[in-house]
Amino acid sequence: MKILSFIYFFITSLRNWLYDKGILKTYSVPGIEVICIGNITVGGTGKTPAVQFFAKKLEKMGRKVAIVSRGYKGKRKVEPLIVSDGKKILVSSRESGDEPYLHALNLKVPVIVGKDRYKACMFAKEHFDIDTIILDDGFQHRKLKRNRDIVLVDATNPFGWGALLPKGTLREDFQGGCKRASEFIITKSDLIEDRDLGKLKRFFKSKFVKPVSVAKHGVSSLCDLEGNPKPLFWLEGKRVLLFSGLANPLNFEKTVISLKPSYIERVDFLDHHNFKEKDLELIKNRAKNMDANFIITTEKDLVKLPKDLSVENLYVLKIEFTMLEDNSLQGMEE
């Protein structure tokens, strides 16, 4: 693992050096402000709700916003692909990938996916009346120039175990990545002690001298499969089975623990997992064996479940990104 991490460090560091020196070319999108929401670690920082928060914030500032994403694991034949035109969703979650589809469900802005983010951004500019693009998870995509890089830091694992992939969860050298960032948001701050949060804030402010915001990912609602909200107190004192395909399922469990169930078990799948019938049978059998009162999944996983599923007592826990200290987008004109 150590050798593989060193090889990964060498490759990513060389690539960043080539971009820093201008040897590898970067491309800008004329007349469009590009704001990247990304991270230095793999998954688990809460990018999806953060992107939606900033889309709404920018719209309130009078901006005309579109979202551009790689559309990870989306099975599509067209590049770039319009997921939503801002009025209606045009493709399935299997084509778009789960995060872009969630953006399309929860927002009324154009959502475009494409492996080449520069071409996808130019496509968005040409086809929609916009002045701002939010680049979802594009911090390591150096080919595209942007005006601002907002880096999310998971409070429960801010330094990616101190190692690059595959030994740790860092996507690139931590110091180099942080120097390139425009600002930081410490996410999931409610899952650590106040003392540890204070240390994190002081570290990023003193070390990199850039704006630092603090956010939490709190429960917004518990819904049935039709989207009808249910009382959160339903989970108190109950036996609950959780299932998800997340980078960090432990944080999902910690969030549910705050609702005071009597007992929890988890079925974990790989990040971005597309669920099959055999997975649902496994989940139903596990729920039966543990005598679960409720089966809970995430909004992100819901869009990847078969449409004709029949699972009793299945509910979706929706998470809301809330800024506790908002120092983001400083100096940006409204």
Side-chain angles (χ1 to χ4, degrees):
M1 285 289 194
K2 202 169 185 180
I3 295 173
L4 291 174
S5 290
F6 177 77
I7 294 170
Y8 190 84
F9 167 79
F10 176 78
I11 292 170
T12 55
S13 297
L14 175 61
R15 179 176 174 275
N16 279 325
W17 182 83
L18 291 172
Y19 273 113
D20 291 340
K21 296 298 181 181
I23 297 170
L24 289 180
K25 191 175 179 181
T26 58
Y27 299 85
S28 60
V29 184
I32 301 291
E33 185 147 9
V34 178
I35 299 172
C36 174
I37 312 290
N39 56 19
I40 300 175
T41 57
V42 175
T45 58
K47 283 189 303 294
T48 302
V51 166
Q52 293 174 18
F53 169 86
F54 277 103
K56 293 172 184 176
K57 180 172 180 173
L58 286 161
E59 282 193 303
K60 287 180 181 177
M61 294 171 63
R63 295 295 184 115
K64 298 175 182 178
V65 180
I67 294 172
V68 169
S69 171
R70 177 187 173 191
Y72 182 66
K73 283 200 171 181
K75 298 183 184 300
R76 55 188 178 273
K77 297 179 181 179
V78 177
E79 290 277 346
L81 178 70
I82 301 174
V83 180
S84 170
D85 60 6
K87 297 176 182 177
K88 60 182 179 180
I89 299 173
L90 304 174
V91 300
S92 68
S93 62
R94 301 276 172 161
E95 293 170 282
S96 66
D98 47 12
E99 285 102 341
Y101 193 83
L102 270 181
H103 297 328
L105 275 176
N106 293 321
L107 300 168
K108 294 297 182 184
V109 303
V111 179
I112 295 92
V113 293
K115 290 181 180 178
D116 187 322
R117 260 65 65 90
Y118 167 69
K119 288 183 179 178
C121 286
M122 289 299 295
F123 181 88
K125 176 190 174 183
E126 291 163 3
H127 287 79
F128 298 99
D129 180 24
I130 59 171
D131 53 37
T132 307
I133 288 175
I134 297 177
L135 184 64
D136 180 6
D137 193 17
F139 188 55
Q140 284 73 35
H141 188 75
R142 299 290 304 273
K143 178 181 177 181
L144 174 65
K145 284 185 180 179
R146 46 269 193 161
N147 302 84
R148 194 177 299 249
D149 277 299
I150 301 174
V151 170
L152 308 184
V153 178
D154 180 358
T156 65
N157 184 19
F159 307 112
W161 309 117
L164 273 72
L165 293 165
K167 184 180 178 182
T169 61
L170 290 173
R171 291 176 162 183
E172 60 176 297
D173 173 63
F174 180 81
Q175 299 275 356
C178 287
K179 287 178 182 178
R180 210 168 67 246
S182 307
E183 59 182 84
F184 301 98
I185 302 176
I186 300 173
T187 65
K188 302 184 180 179
S189 63
D190 52 320
L191 299 181
I192 64 171
E193 297 293 331
D194 289 343
R195 180 181 61 183
D196 295 327
L197 177 59
K199 287 180 181 178
L200 266 183
K201 285 164 60 180
R202 288 192 294 273
F203 171 79
F204 281 96
K205 285 179 180 177
S206 61
K207 182 74 175 177
F208 302 107
V209 198
K210 292 171 183 178
V212 177
S213 300
V214 177
K216 71 173 185 176
H217 290 70
V219 178
S220 65
S221 61
L222 179 71
C223 297
D224 62 21
L225 297 185
E226 283 71 47
N228 303 308
K230 304 297 178 182
L232 292 175
F233 66 74
W234 273 14
L235 298 187
E236 189 170 343
K238 298 298 192 297
R239 298 174 69 83
V240 176
L241 175 66
L242 309 180
F243 76 89
S244 64
L246 303 173
N248 191 346
L250 180 58
N251 282 345
F252 178 35
E253 182 179 355
K254 287 179 180 178
T255 301
V256 176
I257 287 172
S258 69
L259 301 175
K260 302 178 181 177
S262 62
Y263 181 71
I264 291 179
E265 287 189 16
R266 259 184 19 224
V267 181
D268 299 336
F269 297 88
L270 293 175
D271 196 15
H272 299 280
H273 182 73
N274 285 313
F275 294 90
K276 307 289 192 302
E277 284 297 333
K278 64 178 182 179
D279 301 321
L280 297 179
E281 287 303 315
L282 171 66
I283 292 161
K284 287 191 281 188
N285 289 334
R286 183 75 170 269
K288 183 179 179 180
N289 292 338
M290 66 168 281
D291 195 23
N293 301 108
F294 296 101
I295 302 173
I296 310 291
T297 191
T298 71
E299 194 177 15
K300 176 181 172 182
D301 293 294
L302 175 64
V303 301
K304 294 176 290 182
L305 296 177
K307 290 189 176 181
D308 55 348
L309 80 164
S310 58
V311 181
E312 292 184 5
N313 296 321
L314 173 58
Y315 293 88
V316 181
L317 197 68
K318 295 192 175 184
I319 304 298
E320 184 177 35
F321 180 91
T322 304
M323 283 285 206
L324 302 178
E325 298 176 27
D326 191 354
N327 297 304
S328 63
L329 304 182
Q330 289 185 9
M332 190 169 179
E333 294 181 4
E334 297 195 13

